[in-house]
Amino acid sequence: MAGDTRRRPHGRAVAGGVAGGLAILWAALGHDGSAGIYVLFSAATIALIASAFVRPHSYGFVALVVFLTLGFWVKHAAWSIAGIPPIEPLGDFTGEAHEWDRALSFTAVALLGLTLAKLSLYPLRMSRPGPVARVLPTWYERAPLLVWVATAMLVIAGNVLNWRYRFYQVAVHERVILPFHLNAVIVWWLTVATSMWLAVLLEFERRRRGFTRRWMILSAPILEAVVTSAVMLSRGFYLMRTLPYALVFARPSLRRSFQLSRVVVPTLAVATVLGFVISLAGASWLRLTVFPPMVTPGQPAQAGAPQAPPADAGVGPTGRIPSAAEVRAAIREIGTMVVGRWIGLEGILAISASHQQGLGLFVAGLMEDPRSGTEALFQRISKAEYKELEGFTFMTLPGIVAVLAYSGSPVIIFAGMFLAGIVVLLTERAFRHAFDNDLLCAVVGVFMANAIVQMNFPYLTAVFFIEMWGSLLILWILCRLDIGGRSADRKVGALAASSTATP
């Protein structure tokens, strides 16, 4: 029996390798570029996936691997095997072999740079500081219910205000500009800070009560994700808010620490899927009532390319009932999200076919003003047909690999991806030691990965990380406000001492 147990992992690895090799060969049958470059691209993808299992473990790195694999290898396989083309504009890309080779070689270099970032931290796997005191702040110990009620009220109020004033909705301009950059504060709360805060409260509750209120507290992130994503008109943001919990509870040791039974885990999984369906339907319907009409009489439906609104249409909900043609177009667009939603392949194809690459374009891309909107560099290179409409801005996203490829230099692409990986890994590692909270680490890691993979304007990505680090610092201070409080570790130690002293 012992021998069989030792052979099973080896057998699974061999089976996985064979399956991966067959998938590569199958996809290569429909590839228009050179076989060697395609094998390099596939090998780099496999190496990146394998590096995700190398310690130290990182939720953010796992999310990067998932997003990049979906955005590049899966998209390419879907195009090569199933004939599912990308849904975003490709600029001057014509499908010539040399264009494919350039695009996939750039992608392979980028993936290898990210892989090296993970492997370079391998020596840190054994470097662990002392245990972090699991402090329950006084303000939470004294009034946990009040904290949860206040949080719920803030979430509800934030969504009501967002629906009324459009502080953050996909492609929709805000209606109100507040002084002192308060719009940015509200947007940060709606998009990221709420998820971070809920992760902190869930960890507090787990320490305080041994996670006895599983259903009530674990349903909170799902409910919040459903409402917030729908109000933001986002059909994908729900996944960013729930994926962290899937990554955490996928680890058996953490499921045990959260005392999740065999019944709880699948039930939560079903609830998460149901929440996604509700969020997707709600966001899609609201988009039809908020966005300009996607279908005009006498023209075919074009998903994602809104036409000019009627002369009497205002910004925001029009109160109209979407036409049957619009609903059918929206349903078709939802179907393309399974593969098309992920950022990656289209951007690198458009850049690789462009003749504008060089250090000058790269510097211009780094310094580009986000207010350039539909006149931005990548919008012109990709030949996106989105036009500036009153109250709306629709754009296609290049992603980090394409932004780095502005330079046309494999060295810059490799170095840029290496640096991005190091930033994610070290940020998560530093605050893991500060909080000892896997849920918070997973939330932070997934949002960092999403911001990097969907990069459009590097300036905004830099601002995102500054806001992330500042928020984590504020949370760390709040978690240490323990005046007169007690830490969970000290309580456990006191109970142990009293039990051993009893004759």
Side-chain angles (χ1 to χ4, degrees):
M1 293 295 292
D4 291 340
T5 302
R6 285 193 296 269
R7 282 196 296 269
R8 284 173 187 166
H10 178 69
R12 286 197 295 267
V14 171
V18 171
L22 292 175
I24 291 172
L25 291 176
W26 190 21
L29 294 175
H31 178 60
D32 292 327
S34 67
I37 296 296
Y38 178 76
V39 169
L40 174 63
F41 162 64
S42 298
T45 302
I46 293 173
L48 178 65
I49 295 172
S51 69
F53 297 93
V54 176
R55 293 184 178 181
H57 178 79
S58 167
Y59 297 109
F61 192 84
V62 170
L64 276 173
V65 171
V66 171
F67 297 156
L68 291 171
T69 302
L70 290 170
F72 288 98
W73 198 90
V74 172
K75 268 191 176 181
H76 179 274
W79 195 354
S80 300
I81 299 171
I84 303 175
I87 61 176
E88 296 295 335
L90 302 178
D92 293 325
F93 180 77
T94 61
E96 297 292 331
H98 68 91
E99 294 175 339
W100 274 112
D101 290 347
R102 187 171 179 81
L104 295 191
S105 60
F106 278 168
T107 304
V109 168
L111 300 183
L112 290 174
L114 191 59
T115 301
L116 182 61
K118 181 61 183 297
L119 298 180
S120 67
L121 296 186
Y122 180 72
L124 296 180
R125 73 195 187 284
M126 302 302 294
S127 174
R128 295 181 180 179
V132 179
R134 297 185 173 182
V135 174
L136 288 176
T138 306
W139 53 265
Y140 190 81
E141 279 192 305
R142 290 178 177 175
L145 181 59
L146 179 61
V147 173
W148 278 97
V149 170
T151 299
M153 293 177 65
L154 282 174
V155 170
I156 295 172
N159 280 287
V160 170
L161 292 174
N162 191 31
W163 180 251
R164 178 66 180 85
Y165 297 109
R166 307 290 187 259
F167 290 111
Y168 182 83
Q169 289 184 326
V170 173
V172 181
H173 296 176
E174 60 270 74
R175 284 181 173 175
V176 176
I177 303 298
L178 300 175
F180 309 113
H181 300 288
L182 290 179
N183 282 63
V185 176
I186 295 175
V187 170
W188 184 254
W189 167 256
L190 292 170
T191 55
V192 179
T194 304
S195 295
M196 296 171 63
W197 180 244
L198 286 175
V200 170
L201 296 187
L202 287 175
E203 177 63 18
F204 285 167
E205 197 65 20
R206 183 177 75 90
R207 296 172 185 177
R208 189 175 73 93
R209 295 182 178 275
F211 220 63
T212 56
R213 298 180 178 181
R214 296 181 184 89
W215 294 110
M216 182 181 70
I217 58 181
L218 284 178
S219 64
I222 299 175
L223 293 173
E224 187 274 333
V226 169
V227 175
T228 303
S229 299
V231 172
M232 289 194 304
L233 310 182
S234 172
R235 295 168 300 186
F237 216 69
Y238 176 91
L239 297 176
M240 300 304 109
R241 303 174 95 85
T242 54
L243 178 60
Y245 295 87
L247 294 177
V248 169
F249 295 141
R251 303 177 67 183
S253 60
L254 293 175
R255 287 201 302 271
R256 289 192 294 269
S257 72
F258 279 87
Q259 302 176 17
L260 299 181
S261 67
R262 294 182 178 179
V263 176
V264 171
V265 173
T267 304
L268 286 174
V270 171
T272 302
V273 172
L274 180 61
F276 179 56
V277 173
I278 296 172
S279 171
L280 188 61
S284 299
W285 178 261
L286 292 176
R287 286 163 75 106
L288 290 176
T289 66
V290 172
F291 285 179
M294 297 175 62
V295 181
T296 56
Q299 293 183 347
Q302 295 183 3
Q307 305 298 316
D312 59 346
V315 177
T318 60
R320 65 185 179 88
I321 301 298
S323 67
E326 288 181 283
V327 173
R328 287 195 298 270
I331 293 174
R332 285 195 296 269
E333 190 176 7
I334 290 174
T336 65
M337 288 180 59
V338 177
V339 175
R341 184 244 182 258
W342 311 102
I343 305 301
L345 185 62
E346 294 99 321
I348 195 64
L349 291 177
I351 296 299
S352 297
S354 171
H355 301 291
Q356 304 178 37
Q357 299 168 46
L359 187 59
L361 181 67
F362 179 62
V363 173
L366 292 181
M367 306 298 293
E368 190 171 24
D369 189 340
R371 290 173 295 185
S372 55
T374 55
E375 296 300 318
L377 284 175
F378 184 71
Q379 308 309 306
R380 299 197 303 269
I381 292 173
S382 66
K383 297 185 177 179
E385 296 181 355
Y386 300 118
K387 302 300 181 182
E388 192 78 31
L389 301 175
E390 184 180 356
F392 302 89
T393 299
F394 298 91
M395 292 192 293
T396 183
L397 303 179
I400 185 174
V401 179
V403 170
L404 294 171
Y406 285 161
S407 65
S409 168
V411 174
I412 290 179
I413 295 173
F414 185 92
M417 291 299 288
F418 178 85
L419 178 61
I422 290 295
V423 169
V424 170
L425 290 164
L426 292 185
T427 296
E428 185 176 331
R429 180 177 176 81
F431 287 99
R432 176 185 294 277
H433 295 163
F435 290 96
D436 192 24
N437 183 339
D438 275 272
L439 287 177
L440 180 60
C441 287
V443 168
V444 170
V446 168
F447 277 109
M448 286 192 297
N450 186 59
I452 287 174
V453 170
Q454 298 203 66
M455 180 184 292
N456 188 2
F457 301 104
Y459 169 79
L460 292 182
T461 306
V463 170
F464 168 88
F465 274 91
I466 292 172
E467 290 176 331
M468 176 67 75
W469 295 329
S471 299
L472 287 168
L473 181 59
I474 292 172
L475 284 176
W476 183 82
I477 294 172
L478 287 175
C479 291
R480 293 303 183 274
L481 292 179
D482 194 41
I483 301 174
R486 299 166 295 174
S487 74
D489 290 342
R490 287 200 296 269
K491 288 190 284 186
V492 172
L495 289 174
S498 63
S499 62
T500 55
T502 303

